[in-house]
Amino acid sequence: ALDCAKQTVAREGVKGLYRGMAAPLLGVTPMYALCFFGYGVGQSLQRTSPDEKLSLFKICNAGCLSGVFSTALMVPLERVKCLLQVQTADNKKYNGLFDCGRGIYRAEGIRGLYRGTAATALRDVPGNGAYFMTYEFFKRSLSKEGEPPHPAQPLFAAGMAGLLNWLVSPPAAVLN
C-alpha cells in the first residue's frame, strides 16, 4: 500500500490520492439522511404503540430497511467513484464526478448508473442491520434504567457497532 501511494504521488501528485473521492464526499450527507430516515420508517412500521421499546430483532429489521434506503443513493455514487479511481493520468476517460456520471448515463442509461445495486444492497442491508442492533445492544447494556449515560457509553456503542458492521459487510464489499 505504501509503495502504491508513493507511485501515485510520483505520477500524479498528492491530488492523485484523492481521485474519485468527490462522489462519496458529496453523497455522504444525503446518504446518511436517507439511512436514518429509513431507520425511522423501519421502527415506525414495527411499533404497535408509540412508546413501545423495540426488541433488538426489530431494531435489526429497521436497520436493514435503512440499508435499502441508502443503497438507492449509494449505488450511482459508488459506480462513479470506482470508475474515477481506476482511471490513470495516462488513460483519463472522465474529467471528474459529473462528467463521469453523464458519460455513464449517455452510454448505458439509468441502468448503467445503478450497475452494482445487488452487491451494494448485500453489503448495506445486513451491515446497517448489524450496526443499529449492535449500537442499541451496547447502549442498553452499558446504561442503567433511568440514569443518563456516561458520555463514553454511546461512543463505545457506536465504535462496536461500526466494528460489527465491517465484520458483516466485507464479503459483499469485495463484490461491489
Side-chain angles (χ1 to χ4, degrees):
L2 186 58
D3 184 52
C4 180
K6 285 180 186 178
Q7 288 180 32
T8 300
V9 170
R11 256 191 335 266
E12 304 173 41
V14 174
K15 187 177 163 185
L17 295 173
Y18 295 92
R19 186 178 347 110
M21 293 310 297
L25 290 174
L26 183 67
V28 74
T29 301
M31 187 274 300
Y32 277 113
L34 278 174
C35 177
F36 281 92
F37 174 74
Y39 180 60
V41 169
Q43 289 178 315
S44 295
L45 290 172
Q46 297 179 91
R47 275 204 168 88
T48 55
S49 70
D51 58 339
E52 178 187 0
K53 183 176 179 179
L54 295 179
S55 69
L56 292 176
F57 178 74
K58 288 182 176 183
I59 294 287
C60 182
N61 288 339
C64 288
L65 186 62
S66 80
V68 172
F69 277 71
S70 60
T71 294
L73 180 64
M74 280 307 296
V75 173
L77 295 172
E78 291 265 335
R79 178 87 198 281
V80 167
K81 177 193 77 154
C82 290
L83 289 176
L84 290 173
Q85 285 179 332
V86 297
Q87 73 180 7
T88 62
D90 303 335
N91 186 18
K92 197 169 183 179
K93 184 174 181 179
Y94 303 109
N95 291 316
L97 169 72
F98 295 108
D99 183 50
C100 184
R102 189 174 32 251
I104 296 167
Y105 183 76
R106 284 183 181 151
E108 304 173 50
I110 195 79
R111 292 181 82 184
L113 286 168
Y114 279 89
R115 182 176 294 154
T117 298
T120 301
L122 280 171
R123 178 192 71 193
D124 290 353
V125 171
N128 286 14
Y131 180 88
F132 284 105
M133 181 185 69
T134 304
Y135 176 75
E136 193 61 33
F137 169 79
F138 278 103
K139 211 173 83 173
R140 291 176 185 181
S141 298
L142 296 171
S143 62
K144 293 183 177 134
E145 194 80 26
E147 289 184 24
H150 183 279
Q153 289 172 333
L155 185 63
F156 179 77
M160 296 306 291
L163 177 67
L164 192 63
N165 178 319
W166 282 105
L167 288 174
V168 170
S169 299
V174 169
L175 292 175
N176 195 18

